[in-house]
Amino acid sequence: MRVAISKSHTEPLAVIELPSRPLRDDELRVKVAAIGVNPVDWKMREGGPLHFAYTFLGPGKPFVPGIDFAGEVIEAGKNGGLAVGTRVVGGTDFSRKQHGSYASEVIVKRDQVAVVPDAVSLEDAACLPVPAVTAWMAMREHQKIASGDKVLVLGAAGGVGLSAMQIAKMLGAQAVGVCSSRNVSLVEGEGAIAIDYTRGDALEAARAHGPYQVILQLVGSDVYPLAKCRALLTPTGTVEMVVSQPGDYLSIAFLPSVRTLLGAPNQKRLEPLVEAMAKGQLKARIEARFSLEDAEKAHEKSRSGKVVGKLLIVP
Ligand SMILES: NC(=O)c1ccc[n+]([C@@H]2O[C@H](COP(=O)([O-])OP(=O)(O)OC[C@H]3O[C@@H](n4cnc5c(N)ncnc54)[C@H](OP(=O)(O)O)[C@@H]3O)[C@@H](O)[C@H]2O)c1
């Protein structure tokens, strides 16, 4: 199988052939049709806690980055749980000694994938795992967002932000999305109230539309300070620190209104999301597609911090 590997963050990703290993009884081999690119894919190359976790828990070298994928089951162990030919979406898990998803094939287990309904393309499905699951966990696991609630999305135009606004709407909540001028109409098109952060203090502007049951922090508390975010919450609301910085750790540890989360795609979380996509409640917005050989270009673009929606790698 072909995989893109990272030898170090100073060298570009390189495509190599890696021998496929035999399947265990409880595994599935999936031919990958599309890979969703997430900022964590390049952040993990540069160090940080997930890089070290990968080094100690992961499958060893070579380091194949990536989590999200969609594709077709091409081989199933006898307890694999799905038939050959089934279309699936999911996320790889290095703590199960699995390589990442920047590959022509991945080996995963049944509880890591959801079946993709006929109405959903594999490219659209590949946009879901980390972004939509992260937003889902904040709004449905940490909180039970329902009709009438308000959700503030700091970083509305990216992969997580767009998913979050769509999920909020699907749950009957009113989303307020903070974005730059160029993305105001996109955010409004999702049924959200847009706040243009280039026109002044976005948190001050957000006050008029609150209080919020959930605030999704997708940018950083250096830009949107935590104390100012907390002042916009309902009494039971939470700031969900999808992006957290060292200065936030004490607040996360001691304040019930400040929570961190690690978006972890699995079958249970992906099933309602892929069904929502089949109903048209969640829509993919794909900004650009790259070949596996051009995976480094996808990382360069993602690093710019200006991606609207998703980048895909089509191996
Ligand atoms: N903890 C977890 O499990 C987890 C899971 C997923 C993602 N993350 C992290 O969450 C962050 C967002 O992820 P993503 O996939 O959505 O990233 P992304 O797709 O790369 O987000 C890019 C978007 O960020 C917006 N943005 C940049 N600066 C902004 C600002 N000052 N205010 C508001 N929006 C701003 C940009 O829109 P404008 O052009 O309109 O500014 C751009 O469209 C990343 O740092 C990622 O690593 C963490």
Side-chain angles (χ1 to χ4, degrees), residues 228-247:
K228 286 187 85 173
C229 291
R230 288 179 55 231
L232 302 178
L233 292 173
T234 67
T236 56
T238 48
V239 186
E240 299 289 331
M241 306 295 284
V242 177
V243 172
S244 50
Q245 294 162 337

Side-chain angles (χ1 to χ4, degrees), residues 5-194:
I5 63 163
S6 172
K7 287 189 189 156
S8 76
H9 73 277
T10 53
E11 290 173 80
L13 293 166
V15 175
I16 62 161
E17 280 290 331
L18 202 64
S20 300
R21 68 162 174 81
L23 279 194
R24 300 192 188 98
D25 284 352
D26 61 348
E27 290 179 331
L28 301 162
R29 193 185 311 278
V30 177
K31 182 169 188 286
V32 175
I35 300 154
V37 175
N38 293 296
V40 68
D41 301 348
W42 52 264
K43 288 182 184 176
M44 270 184 73
R45 295 170 64 193
E46 296 176 355
L50 279 176
H51 177 84
F52 290 106
Y54 181 96
T55 307
F56 291 111
L57 303 173
K61 288 187 176 167
F63 170 35
V64 180
I67 299 171
D68 295 353
F69 68 88
E72 188 178 313
V73 176
I74 51 169
E75 189 186 349
K78 70 175 186 223
N79 304 320
L82 287 174
V84 168
T86 310
R87 298 183 331 134
V88 293
V89 58
T92 57
D93 181 350
F94 67 77
S95 71
R96 292 181 170 188
K97 306 282 179 206
Q98 295 167 356
H99 284 301
S101 61
Y102 285 22
S104 56
E105 287 173 16
V106 291
I107 294 175
V108 288
K109 296 192 183 187
R110 174 67 187 96
D111 65 356
Q112 291 174 260
V113 295
V115 174
V116 178
D118 291 344
V120 176
S121 74
L122 289 176
E123 287 201 355
D124 284 0
C127 297
L128 287 173
V130 165
V133 162
T134 301
W136 181 258
M137 287 170 70
M139 286 187 264
R140 291 304 290 170
E141 295 182 14
H142 285 191
Q143 289 274 354
K144 291 279 179 253
I145 290 300
S147 185
D149 285 335
K150 292 172 179 174
V151 175
L152 177 61
V153 184
L154 304 173
V160 182
L162 278 179
S163 293
M165 291 186 297
Q166 295 176 1
I167 292 170
K169 186 177 174 192
M170 173 177 126
L171 298 173
Q174 175 63 59
V176 177
V178 175
C179 60
S180 64
S181 314
R182 69 184 179 127
N183 290 319
V184 164
S185 55
L186 175 85
V187 168
E188 288 174 345
E190 298 296 346
I193 296 166

